[in-house]
Amino acid sequence: MPLLTSLTHLGIGKETTWGTPVAASKWMPVKNPKPEDVAAWVDDVGLRGVPSQTFAKYLNRMSSTYEFDGDFFPDVPPYLLLGILGNDTVTGTGPYTHTFAL
């Protein structure tokens, strides 16, 4: 199966304000991307006086996962950690202290 060229690079950038999208500042080549949409279905089990338990299934919410393989570049993992740990606040002047807010 051919791989789209848009899926061969992953662009990462640090948000200056939480929730505001920014342009990618780092690019990481991706070798084996596996994007997947995950759907959560809910059963309609309303009590309607009918001898049936499930009447329908409705799409509740969707989320996406993205798994990839690639080479290790030392300047990219801090951006991936920011995506997992949350906001990074730097304090101090000598040895810097980083605090992450989940």
Side-chain angles (χ1 to χ4, degrees):
M1 178 173 124
L3 184 63
L4 297 173
T5 57
S6 62
L7 296 177
T8 59
H9 285 82
L10 178 65
I12 303 172
K14 182 180 177 185
E15 296 176 339
T16 54
T17 305
W18 187 82
T20 305
V22 296
S25 59
K26 300 284 183 191
W27 293 92
M28 186 173 85
V30 175
K31 290 184 179 177
N32 191 11
K34 297 175 192 138
E36 180 183 353
D37 291 330
V38 180
W41 295 89
V42 176
D43 293 337
D44 181 7
V45 292
L47 300 174
R48 294 183 175 94
V50 180
S52 178
Q53 184 173 359
T54 303
F55 292 94
K57 287 185 177 279
Y58 297 105
L59 182 62
N60 186 9
R61 64 187 179 279
M62 287 189 73
S63 61
S64 297
T65 61
Y66 185 78
E67 184 178 335
F68 62 91
D69 296 331
D71 297 329
F72 178 77
F73 295 98
D75 58 340
V76 175
Y79 286 96
L80 297 175
L81 286 175
L82 283 175
I84 296 170
L85 296 175
N87 190 19
D88 176 28
T89 305
V90 180
T91 58
T93 57
Y96 295 105
T97 303
H98 296 269
T99 57
F100 293 98
L102 298 177

